Amino acid sequence: MKKFTRVLLMVGIMLQLSFLPVYGNGFWKIKMAISERNAAEYIHKLKAGAQPGSLKRPEMRHDKEYEAEVYVKELNKAMDEAERLARQGKNEQIKEPELRFPPPKKSEY
Protein backbone atom coordinates (compact mmCIF):
# COMPACT_ATOMS: atom_id res chain seq x y z
CA MET A 1 0.00 0.00 0.00
CA LYS A 2 2.88 2.34 0.80
CA LYS A 3 4.47 1.71 -2.59
CA PHE A 4 1.15 2.28 -4.39
CA THR A 5 0.61 5.59 -2.58
CA ARG A 6 4.15 6.72 -3.40
CA VAL A 7 3.71 5.87 -7.10
CA LEU A 8 0.33 7.57 -7.20
CA LEU A 9 1.79 10.68 -5.55
CA MET A 10 4.73 10.78 -7.97
CA VAL A 11 2.45 10.40 -11.01
CA GLY A 12 0.20 13.16 -9.70
CA ILE A 13 3.11 15.54 -9.18
CA MET A 14 4.53 14.76 -12.62
CA LEU A 15 1.16 15.44 -14.27
CA GLN A 16 0.74 18.74 -12.46
CA LEU A 17 4.23 19.91 -13.35
CA SER A 18 3.83 18.92 -16.98
CA PHE A 19 0.79 21.19 -17.38
CA LEU A 20 2.29 24.30 -15.75
CA PRO A 21 3.74 25.78 -18.96
CA VAL A 22 0.32 25.66 -20.60
CA TYR A 23 -0.95 28.30 -18.22
CA GLY A 24 2.01 30.64 -18.64
CA ASN A 25 2.46 30.63 -22.42
CA GLY A 26 -0.48 32.85 -23.35
CA PHE A 27 0.10 35.80 -21.05
CA TRP A 28 2.68 37.46 -23.31
CA LYS A 29 0.07 37.51 -26.08
CA ILE A 30 -2.34 39.34 -23.81
CA LYS A 31 0.38 41.90 -23.03
CA MET A 32 1.07 42.37 -26.73
CA ALA A 33 -2.64 42.76 -27.51
CA ILE A 34 -2.86 45.55 -24.92
CA SER A 35 0.27 47.26 -26.25
CA GLU A 36 -0.97 46.88 -29.80
CA ARG A 37 -4.33 48.44 -28.96
CA ASN A 38 -2.69 51.36 -27.15
CA ALA A 39 -0.29 52.00 -30.04
CA ALA A 40 -3.13 51.79 -32.59
CA GLU A 41 -5.19 54.34 -30.64
CA TYR A 42 -2.19 56.69 -30.43
CA ILE A 43 -1.44 56.40 -34.15
CA HIS A 44 -5.12 56.92 -34.98
CA LYS A 45 -5.17 60.15 -32.95
CA LEU A 46 -2.06 61.37 -34.77
CA LYS A 47 -3.66 60.55 -38.11
CA ALA A 48 -6.78 62.47 -37.06
CA GLY A 49 -4.67 65.62 -36.65
CA ALA A 50 -3.39 65.62 -33.06
CA GLN A 51 0.14 66.89 -32.50
CA PRO A 52 2.67 64.53 -30.86
CA GLY A 53 3.47 67.09 -28.15
CA SER A 54 -0.17 67.26 -27.05
CA LEU A 55 -0.52 63.49 -26.59
CA LYS A 56 1.10 61.21 -24.08
CA ARG A 57 2.83 58.32 -25.79
CA PRO A 58 1.53 54.99 -24.45
CA GLU A 59 3.84 52.70 -22.51
CA MET A 60 4.48 49.37 -24.12
CA ARG A 61 4.13 46.18 -22.10
CA HIS A 62 7.29 44.08 -22.16
CA ASP A 63 7.89 40.37 -21.90
CA LYS A 64 10.91 38.07 -22.09
CA GLU A 65 9.41 36.15 -25.03
CA TYR A 66 11.51 36.86 -28.15
CA GLU A 67 8.51 37.43 -30.39
CA ALA A 68 7.13 39.94 -27.88
CA GLU A 69 10.41 41.88 -27.79
CA VAL A 70 10.51 42.09 -31.58
CA TYR A 71 6.88 43.18 -31.76
CA VAL A 72 7.36 45.94 -29.17
CA LYS A 73 10.23 47.27 -31.29
CA GLU A 74 7.97 47.23 -34.36
CA LEU A 75 5.23 49.11 -32.49
CA ASN A 76 7.70 51.72 -31.26
CA LYS A 77 9.04 52.13 -34.79
CA ALA A 78 5.50 52.60 -36.15
CA MET A 79 4.76 55.24 -33.49
CA ASP A 80 8.05 57.03 -34.28
CA GLU A 81 7.16 57.11 -37.97
CA ALA A 82 3.65 58.39 -37.21
CA GLU A 83 5.07 61.14 -34.98
CA ARG A 84 7.56 62.14 -37.67
CA LEU A 85 4.84 62.43 -40.30
CA ALA A 86 2.54 64.31 -37.91
CA ARG A 87 5.27 66.87 -37.17
CA GLN A 88 5.74 67.39 -40.91
CA GLY A 89 1.99 67.93 -41.35
CA LYS A 90 1.56 64.78 -43.44
CA ASN A 91 -1.14 63.22 -41.29
CA GLU A 92 -2.89 61.63 -44.28
CA GLN A 93 0.25 59.58 -45.01
CA ILE A 94 0.25 57.91 -41.58
CA LYS A 95 -0.47 54.22 -41.95
CA GLU A 96 -2.66 52.41 -39.45
CA PRO A 97 -0.83 49.38 -38.02
CA GLU A 98 -2.07 45.89 -38.80
CA LEU A 99 -3.26 44.17 -35.65
CA ARG A 100 -1.76 40.73 -35.06
CA PHE A 101 -3.37 39.81 -31.78
CA PRO A 102 -7.09 39.77 -31.12
CA PRO A 103 -8.29 41.85 -28.18
CA PRO A 104 -8.10 39.82 -24.95
CA LYS A 105 -11.30 38.48 -23.46
CA LYS A 106 -12.08 39.53 -19.90
CA SER A 107 -11.78 35.91 -18.79
CA GLU A 108 -8.12 35.89 -19.93
CA TYR A 109 -6.98 38.73 -17.65
Side-chain angles (χ1 to χ4, degrees), residues 10-68:
M10 293 300 287
V11 169
I13 290 172
M14 288 174 54
L15 282 174
Q16 286 180 346
L17 291 176
S18 68
F19 287 111
L20 282 178
V22 172
Y23 298 116
N25 283 342
F27 290 119
W28 71 271
K29 291 180 182 178
I30 294 171
K31 289 179 185 179
M32 291 306 101
I34 292 169
S35 293
E36 181 180 64
R37 185 188 67 219
N38 292 340
E41 288 175 4
Y42 180 72
I43 291 171
H44 181 72
K45 288 177 185 176
L46 291 174
K47 187 173 184 172
Q51 287 300 313
S54 66
L55 297 176
K56 182 181 179 210
R57 189 171 179 154
E59 293 183 24
M60 297 288 102
R61 306 276 308 260
H62 294 278
D63 196 86
K64 293 178 184 175
E65 184 76 29
Y66 175 75
E67 189 176 343

Side-chain angles (χ1 to χ4, degrees), residues 70-84:
V70 170
Y71 194 53
V72 166
K73 288 178 185 176
E74 288 177 16
L75 290 174
N76 282 324
K77 193 174 181 180
M79 289 191 295
D80 290 341
E81 180 67 16
E83 288 175 351
R84 185 182 66 76

